[in-house]
Structures are given as structure tokens and as C-alpha cells.
Amino acid sequence: MVFDHDGLVKLADAVSKERDKITISTDLGLSETEIDLRELRIDPKMILPILKKERGIFKLEKGHLEHLAVFDDGYYQLVATGEAPTVEIDGIQMHRTKEVKPFEDARQKVETVIKKGDVVLDTCGGLGYTAIWAVRMGAVHVDSCEPNDNIRNLRKENPWSQELYSEKIKIHEMTAQEFMAECYDDQYDCIIHDPPRFSLAGELYSFEFYARLAEIIKPKGRLFHYTGNPYSKGRPKQFVEGVIKRLAEAGFKCQRMNQVLGVRAVRR
Ligand SMILES: C[S@@+](CC[C@H](N)C(=O)[O-])C[C@H]1O[C@@H](n2cnc3c(N)ncnc32)[C@H](O)[C@@H]1O
């Protein structure tokens, strides 16, 4: 069972009023179920300190609440949005959360390029939302790369990521570059490239990377490349223009998609 802050407040309230049962979402809003509070053996003292972590996501198991976050080479945490969570690495969110929620954001990205029957490469898997939407919109196979153990472990606990574990999606526990080194020419109908921001992973915006994308995508194959807010702080001026120039040199015909903050490109 997984709860955000609002869920925990409801749970704490029901426990403090010694209610036996409560109807509540245990999967971050995907569904609601009636749960028997006596069986859960929740100690209200355990919930109260946790309520300070307003953006956190918590797993309840055997009467114990676990914050879905990990300190490792950085601080990773699932962050509540009132819908599908995002994941933060050292305070940097991996999805849009303001104008559009992460799951809908992923849907809009995928919609720009997907066709029924496509074989798809999802270069940067993250929480799996883009891969999930690719399958929902008709992909027959998705290869999805995610090299980071912490992200892969957190998404296993995320109710909104569970469709990732589907026969149609093959998860590759490696970087996109490592995976692509083993791909053959013209392997993909469609590629979704949703990298971390440039300051964290500049190599995923390089000409060499785009040239390899151009080799493994079919002629007329479709690429969506998320580029983010062109006006965000610290961004080189003409950042998106630079992406488009390198993609064009690599063999793609590009179209800027301002609404989804990215570039749609077709292999010439
Ligand atoms: C913006 S998120 C992707 C979000 C994802 N599309 C989704 O639907 O949840 C970027 C992800 O790329 C991963 N990443 C970083 N470097 C990578 C690389 N070289 N190859 C593949 N993935 C990488 C990060 O760990 C992070 O999870």
C-alpha cells in the first residue's frame, strides 16, 4: 500500500478516531478500496512525524511506514503531485509537474510520434511513463533503458509504473549508449528520447548520440526529443536551435513542438 501526504492525513485521522474501516486510495489515486484498520495495526505515533514530509510518498507494510527515498550517490525520492508521482534526483524533478502532471506529460510526448504496430526505443526509462504510453497507444514492442538502480528500485514501488512490467516492454539495465551499441541499423520505427537536463547528461544531446539514433531508426522513422523549457536558468541561449542543428546534421528533419517542450524529428 502506497500513500502520499493527503492519504496519510486521512489514515491518521481514522486511526485517531479508532475507526475500524476506511475507504481510501492505496495506490496514489488509481483506485479506492475499503481497508480494515485493525488488520493494519498502525501506531498513530508512527504517522505523525512523517506528516512533516509533505511531498513524500510512503509504503505501508506490516504496520511499518517506509519513505520511498534513498541517499546514495545523490538523494533520490518519489515526489507526490496529487496524481502520478515524479522522481527527484538531488532536488531536480525528472518530469514536468506545474502546467501538466507527469503521466499526462508523458502521454503528450508519445502522442507526437507513435503509430500502431511500432517497435519503439525509449532511451531514458525513468519511471516508465513514456514506455507505458507507447504500449497503450499501440506499440508492439518497447526497449526501455534505465541505468540507475535507485530509479529502478523506486519505480518498482510506484503504483503508476506497474504497467511497465509488461510482456511488450523489455527493460535494459544500462545506459542508452551501451544499449544502442548493440542495436542494428533500421531497428526502430519510433524513438522517444526524454533525457535528464543538459547540465546532468550533456552526452545525450551530442551529435555523436544523434548520429547513432539516425542509424538505428528506419528511414521515415519518428523521433521525439524532449528539450525542456528553453528559457530555464543556466541554459545556453539558442539551446533548442543547437539541438535541431545537430539533429539535422545527423540526418533528421526537425519540427519544434513548443507545447510539449521538445522537437519532433523524422529520419530523412
Ligand atoms: C527525464 S527522466 C525520464 C522520464 C521517463 N521518460 C518517464 O516516463 O518517467 C530521465 C532518466 O534518464 C536516466 N538516465 C540518465 N542517464 C542515462 C543514460 N545515459 N541512458 C539512459 N538513461 C539515462 C535517469 O536515471 C532518469 O531516470
Side-chain angles (χ1 to χ4, degrees):
M1 293 182 189
V2 179
F3 299 94
D4 61 8
H5 183 264
D6 288 355
L8 286 184
V9 169
K10 279 188 200 154
L11 210 55
D13 182 56
V15 171
S16 68
K17 288 178 180 152
E18 296 183 359
R19 283 173 51 193
D20 292 341
K21 292 191 172 167
I22 180 174
T23 299
I24 194 167
S25 178
T26 59
D27 54 13
L28 303 179
L30 287 169
S31 65
E32 288 217 323
T33 38
E34 187 181 70
I35 56 176
D36 189 326
L37 291 169
R38 291 162 306 184
E39 277 174 18
L40 287 183
R41 290 176 282 118
I42 300 166
D43 177 358
K45 283 196 230 105
M46 170 181 81
I47 298 184
L48 292 176
I50 273 175
L51 287 180
K52 287 188 196 139
K53 295 186 195 296
E54 285 190 10
R55 301 183 317 134
I57 305 274
F58 301 87
K59 176 178 167 182
L60 177 63
E61 200 170 55
K62 295 183 186 147
H64 172 74
L65 270 174
E66 179 194 348
H67 183 202
L68 294 177
V70 54
F71 273 110
D72 189 23
D73 54 337
Y75 182 56
Y76 297 78
Q77 66 166 335
L78 286 181
V79 170
T81 72
E83 194 228 48
T86 183
V87 63
E88 250 180 37
I89 309 177
D90 291 333
I92 298 177
Q93 296 193 342
M94 290 291 129
H95 302 87
R96 295 169 75 194
T97 54
K98 287 192 185 121
E99 321 78 47
V100 61
K101 293 279 163 75
F103 208 61
E104 170 59 15
D105 181 37
R107 188 193 69 73
Q108 291 179 9
K109 288 171 182 164
V110 174
E111 192 180 37
T112 62
V113 278
I114 198 86
K115 283 191 182 160
K116 279 211 173 84
D118 275 356
V119 174
V120 177
L121 173 62
D122 174 36
T123 56
C124 299
L127 295 184
Y129 300 158
T130 43
I132 289 170
W133 275 111
V135 169
R136 284 191 179 188
M137 292 186 188
V140 290
H141 179 83
V142 181
D143 285 310
S144 180
C145 307
E146 178 50 63
N148 192 305
D149 295 353
N150 296 310
I151 300 283
R152 292 199 309 272
N153 291 338
L154 285 173
R155 76 183 175 190
K156 275 193 197 128
E157 307 292 351
N158 175 16
W160 288 78
S161 296
Q162 297 312 303
E163 278 177 54
L164 184 64
Y165 307 102
S166 128
E167 280 181 1
K168 290 188 176 161
I169 301 175
K170 182 136 181 10
I171 294 168
H172 302 277
E173 299 183 352
M174 60 181 83
T175 65
Q177 298 93 312
E178 286 162 347
F179 177 72
M180 284 159 50
E182 303 299 318
C183 291
Y184 53 85
D185 287 359
D186 302 349
Q187 185 167 337
Y188 294 100
D189 301 293
C190 174
I191 299 179
I192 297 149
H193 183 43
D194 185 13
R197 63 173 65 168
F198 180 76
S199 57
L200 298 179
E203 66 284 4
L204 298 176
Y205 296 78
S206 65
F207 169 77
E208 291 70 27
F209 187 86
Y210 298 161
R212 185 67 189 131
L213 292 179
E215 285 170 351
I216 64 173
I217 199 166
K218 289 178 184 164
K220 301 230 162 41
R222 292 145 270 122
L223 163 72
F224 177 76
H225 182 344
Y226 181 71
T227 50
N229 185 346
Y231 307 110
S232 66
K233 265 196 210 156
R235 256 229 150 154
K237 266 191 190 156
Q238 311 288 310
F239 173 75
V240 183
E241 287 76 2
V243 166
I244 289 175
K245 184 168 173 281
R246 291 190 294 283
L247 281 173
E249 281 166 8
F252 290 96
K253 191 163 176 260
C254 300
Q255 178 192 358
R256 224 172 142 142
M257 307 286 286
N258 289 335
Q259 189 138 10
V260 273
L261 304 184
V263 174
R264 183 183 193 277
V266 175
R267 178 77 173 95
R268 282 195 294 265

